[in-house]
């Protein structure tokens, strides 16, 4: 039985001074849904680096996990602007996104770099949410499975274990566009991802969570969550409003 994980990704949005109010509102909205069993869903927010400390403080009080949006694979050194795993752990942060398509697209993060970051996280007890997904041209060229396999195998060659490891399937054409994969498209991609994971990790792959991301909203989350291999969501734009995000947390 896989526990759903609903993750928000604020990207480069919101302000430090708004973090306490956001987390209090989110928590209040979630708690107001009395049918929602709080221990049956994990809720996480990936916030900008300057907010990590305050978000952890308020997140901890309210049962909300806090993640970095990226991390460097090296423990320290001359890497201006980067964030290390020891820095995250020192702040009490135990989660990070890795290889979001915006990192791949704008900061040239290659499959090999994503794999090294993932390995560093898993080796040092940080939970990694590794993002994969095809572009529109790749989908239209029937390359979806080839791309997913390439992205996953790069990571699996480095890691070889399922613990602390979550995959987010985010078709690039659905991110921030208002276009969502249909429930069937999401399920097909997730089932394929689980098959690739199983080839390397065996039965442990059945315990791994695979999140869907790309224009998730309260109006489409329920259909997605009914799919057998969709174990949660990675939510960008709709996570910026705590009331809407709480509705998405109420996903089953
Ligand atoms: P979106 O972003 O929900 O705004 O499409 C998803 C993501 O990039 O994680």
């Amino acid at each position: 039985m896989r526990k759903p994980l609903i993750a928000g990704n604020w990207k480069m949005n919101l302000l430090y001074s708004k973090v306490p109010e956001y987390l209090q509102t989110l928590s209040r909205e979630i708690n107001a849904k009395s049918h929602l069993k709080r221990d049956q869903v994990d809720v996480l927010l990936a916030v900008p680096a300057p907010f990590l400390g305050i978000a952890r403080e308020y997140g901890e009080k309210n049962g909300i996990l806090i993640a970095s949006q990226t991390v460097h694979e090296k423990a320290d050194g001359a890497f201006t602007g980067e964030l290390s795993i020891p820095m995250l752990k020192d702040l009490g942060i135990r989660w990070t996104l890795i290889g979001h398509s915006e990192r791949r697209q704008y900061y040239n993060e290659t499959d090999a770099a994503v794999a090294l970051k993932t390995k560093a996280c898993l080796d040092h007890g940080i939970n990694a949410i590794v993002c994969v997904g095809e572009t529109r041209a790749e989908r239209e060229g029937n390359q979806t499975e080839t791309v997913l396999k390439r992205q996953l195998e790069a990571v699996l060659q480095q890691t070889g274990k399922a613990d602390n490891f979550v995959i987010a399937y985010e078709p690039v054409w659905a991110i921030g566009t208002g276009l969502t994969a249909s429930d069937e498209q999401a399920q097909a991609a997730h089932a394929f991802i689980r098959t690739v994971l199983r080839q390397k990790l065996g039965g442990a792959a059945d315990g791994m969570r695979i999140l869907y991301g790309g224009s998730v909203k309260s109006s489409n989350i329920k259909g997605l969550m009914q799919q057998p291999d969709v174990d949660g969501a990675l939510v960008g734009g709709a996570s910026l409003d705590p009331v809407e995000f709480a509705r998405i947390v109420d996903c089953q």
Side-chain angles (χ1 to χ4, degrees), residues 9 11 100-102 170 174-177 213-216 234-238:
N9 174 13
K11 309 189 180 185
H100 188 280
S101 68
E102 288 149 18
E170 298 207 302
I175 295 177
T177 59
S215 299
V216 171
L234 181 54
V235 185

Side-chain angles (χ1 to χ4, degrees), residues 4-10 22 41-46 64-65 67 95 97 129 166 168 170 211-213 216 221 231-239 245 248-249:
L5 168 60
I6 303 296
N9 174 13
W10 285 0
Y22 177 108
V41 55
D42 285 332
V43 182
L44 175 146
L45 286 168
I64 293 158
L65 301 164
W95 289 80
L97 304 183
I129 302 177
V166 173
E170 298 207 302
L211 315 182
Y212 170 78
V216 171
I221 184 69
D231 308 310
L234 181 54
V235 185
S239 74
F245 190 54
I248 297 171
V249 170

Side-chain angles (χ1 to χ4, degrees), residues 22 47 62 87 126 129 148 156-157 202 215 222:
Y22 177 108
V47 304
N62 293 295
M87 289 174 195
I126 292 275
I129 302 177
L148 293 177
L156 291 168
Q157 269 165 19
S215 299
K222 285 200 165 65

